[in-house]
């Protein structure tokens, strides 16, 4: 059979192949081990050297032509395949992207900012301090001497290592150490709030090992319990957007205040109407604490309070289990967008 004829036949066969698989079969029919051209190639062994050279060259030309035809057809078929895919897999470029979603402030942080905002608006400074605290600031300076049973009011996480003066370190159990730290830095009159994280060995529906408090400190020469009651009542009414809230001071005990009080509030309307709810510890700064601040208790009077930010948040939004704040369940958190 003539070489030109084989080339021609191959070209026809290739263009008749309607998909890649069919094309590869046709390829085998010409270029495979028993293919037509291969047979031709095997035949030249019998020829004399001159003829063999001539025939060999001609076969190579034919093989090249068949290869080219094969490649061309492959290209055509794979282009067609791509076109078909592009036509079916439609991408709607106008669809909005999946995006990362907008984050939102945690409800406790919202309370934190809201409390800060309200107290700033009546002239309080805002400060923060270390969560890893020296035992001295957390307890001793606040009139809880070493081994004093009052320390057991707050179950404490101690940390390995000591502060600069060799005193043990712990995770602060309240924001009250900020009273002393701040009084070291600033002379009276002092109007301070210090929000932040605090830690205790506690875990149930209303306690978490990590929680938040906001400390208030007001030192001047002419403040009294009625001033504290006035600003705290005003704060609660603004915070809960409820002008009917009543406030009472109930006698209590803290080592660092004397006298000490628990602040209770009373809603006339809403979900908690008719109940007195405990909202904050408070009291007049103890003379020993004033002395530890470097102040003379004969000249200065101070008032302090410490409120839980989780508690304020739970009451504001009607959340019943504090653990919900820390479970990172987006279905819960998204309600506070
Ligand atoms: N630090 C106290 C507590 O965590 C609250 C408090 C602060 C009480 C300031 C009186 C004055 O329980």
């Amino acid at each position: 059979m003539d070489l030109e004829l084989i080339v021609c036949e191959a070209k026809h066969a290739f263009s008749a192949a309607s998909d890649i698989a069919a094309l590869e079969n046709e390829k085998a029919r010409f270029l495979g081990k028993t293919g037509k051209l291969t047979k031709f190639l095997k035949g030249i062994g019998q020829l004399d050297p001159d003829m063999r050279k001539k025939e060999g060259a001609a076969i190579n030309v034919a093989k090249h032509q068949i290869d080219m035809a094969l490649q061309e057809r492959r290209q055509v078929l794979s282009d067609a395949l791509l076109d078909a895919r592009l036509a079916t897999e439609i991408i709607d470029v106008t669809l909005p992207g999946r995006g990362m979603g907008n984050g939102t402030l945690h409800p406790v942080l919202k309370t934190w900012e809201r409390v800060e905002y309200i107290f700033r608006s009546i002239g309080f400074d805002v400060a923060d301090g270390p969560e890893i605290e020296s035992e001295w600031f957390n307890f001793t300076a606040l009139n809880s001497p070493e081994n004093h049973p009052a320390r057991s009011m707050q179950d404490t996480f101690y940390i390995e290592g000591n502060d600069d003066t060799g005193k043990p370190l712990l995770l602060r159990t309240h924001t009250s150490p900020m009273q002393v730290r701040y009084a070291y830095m600033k002379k009276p009159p002092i109007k301070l709030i210090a929000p932040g994280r605090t830690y205790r060995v506690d875990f149930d529906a209303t306690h978490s090992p990590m929680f938040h408090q906001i400390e208030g400190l007001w030192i001047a020469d002419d403040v009294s319990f009625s001033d504290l009651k006035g600003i705290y009542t005003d704060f609660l009414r603004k915070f809960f957007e409820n002008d009917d809230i009543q406030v009472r001071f109930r006698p209590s005990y803290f080592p660092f205040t004397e006298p000490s009080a628990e602040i209770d509030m009373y809603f006339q309307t809403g979900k908690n109407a008719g109940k007195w709810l405990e909202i904050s510890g408070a009291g007049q700064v103890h003379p020993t604490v004033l002395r530890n601040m470097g102040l003379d208790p004969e000249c200065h009077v101070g008032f302090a309070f410490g409120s839980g930010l989780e508690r304020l948040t739970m009451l504001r939004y009607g959340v019943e289990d504090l653990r919900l704040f820390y479970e990172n369940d987006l279905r819960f958190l998204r309600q506070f967008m």
Side-chain angles (χ1 to χ4, degrees):
M1 201 193 293
D2 181 55
L3 274 175
E4 267 172 46
L5 208 65
I6 293 181
V7 172
C8 192
E9 207 185 304
K11 281 183 177 168
H12 269 102
F14 293 166
S15 45
S18 57
D19 57 36
I20 300 280
L23 181 65
E24 296 308 317
N25 282 339
E26 290 302 340
K27 173 194 161 189
R29 223 154 59 74
F30 292 92
L31 303 177
K33 266 190 196 148
T34 56
K36 291 188 177 179
L37 199 73
T38 319
K39 267 188 204 153
F40 230 92
L41 208 56
K42 282 178 184 159
I44 63 173
Q46 279 96 48
L47 300 176
D48 66 55
D50 258 7
M51 281 297 281
R52 197 187 298 163
K53 211 170 168 187
K54 254 172 88 189
E55 273 298 291
I59 292 173
N60 274 339
V61 171
K63 183 170 183 295
H64 180 69
Q65 285 170 337
I66 294 175
D67 270 338
M68 293 298 288
L70 180 69
Q71 273 176 42
E72 246 170 63
R73 187 64 186 159
R74 269 195 191 134
Q75 192 63 49
V76 169
L77 288 176
S78 73
D79 284 354
L81 207 62
L82 186 63
D83 284 346
R85 263 185 71 183
L86 287 177
T88 52
E89 295 174 13
I90 294 166
I91 297 170
D92 182 351
V93 291
T94 65
L95 271 182
R98 287 208 184 100
M100 307 281 286
N102 278 338
T104 157
L105 288 187
H106 190 278
V108 172
L109 195 53
K110 280 188 147 170
T111 298
W112 176 328
E113 294 200 332
R114 189 175 169 80
V115 176
E116 244 186 59
Y117 177 83
I118 294 171
F119 277 103
R120 265 188 212 278
S121 77
I122 52 169
F124 277 71
D125 279 345
V126 179
D128 63 6
E131 291 167 28
I132 296 179
E133 185 53 284
S134 151
E135 183 190 53
W136 194 80
F137 282 108
N138 196 82
F139 288 127
T140 318
L142 293 172
N143 197 31
S144 302
E146 261 172 68
N147 305 317
H148 193 283
R151 284 198 183 189
S152 63
M153 288 165 75
Q154 303 183 350
D155 268 337
T156 313
F157 291 109
Y158 283 86
I159 293 212
E160 280 179 20
N162 298 313
D163 70 5
D164 304 343
T165 66
K167 297 278 180 249
L169 289 171
L170 44 79
L171 294 180
R172 66 177 177 187
T173 57
H174 50 179
T175 42
S176 300
M178 276 308 289
Q179 292 186 28
V180 183
R181 286 188 175 273
Y182 194 75
Y184 274 8
M185 297 185 322
K186 197 173 178 296
K187 293 275 145 277
I190 287 174
K191 279 172 96 179
L192 164 77
I193 56 157
R197 284 189 195 94
T198 48
Y199 304 83
R200 285 185 210 177
V201 187
D202 245 343
F203 195 42
D204 60 39
T206 51
H207 296 92
S208 146
M210 188 283 296
F211 59 106
H212 299 78
Q213 283 193 337
I214 183 143
E215 193 76 11
L217 178 66
W218 192 359
I219 300 181
D221 29 0
D222 57 351
V223 284
S224 68
F225 255 115
S226 58
D227 295 307
L228 177 65
K229 192 167 180 180
I231 58 143
Y232 206 86
T233 306
D234 200 45
F235 155 68
L236 288 176
R237 289 179 180 171
K238 287 209 177 88
F239 182 83
F240 288 105
E241 296 169 279
N242 182 338
D243 284 339
D244 298 326
I245 292 175
Q246 305 294 311
V247 170
R248 76 176 178 196
F249 283 4
R250 182 164 41 84
S252 185
Y253 171 76
F254 297 101
F256 35 91
T257 46
E258 181 58 38
S260 301
E262 224 46 84
I263 303 179
D264 295 340
M265 63 175 181
Y266 184 85
F267 290 92
Q268 312 213 326
T269 50
K271 195 173 151 273
N272 291 304
K275 274 186 262 173
W276 284 102
L277 300 167
E278 185 181 314
I279 191 71
S280 184
Q284 181 173 345
V285 180
H286 195 285
T288 303
V289 177
L290 283 173
R291 269 186 228 106
N292 287 338
M293 291 170 172
L295 299 174
D296 180 355
E298 299 300 322
C299 307
H300 294 103
V301 191
F303 288 90
F305 60 85
S307 318
L309 293 180
E310 279 79 0
R311 177 124 174 99
L312 285 165
T313 313
M314 287 167 85
L315 289 170
R316 176 146 191 253
Y317 297 111
V319 176
E320 272 166 15
D321 192 326
L322 172 141
R323 288 169 290 201
L324 285 167
F325 290 135
Y326 307 113
E327 280 169 359
N328 289 335
D329 187 335
L330 291 179
R331 290 168 303 176
F332 172 74
L333 295 173
R334 283 210 179 101
Q335 297 176 73
F336 305 92
M337 294 281 246

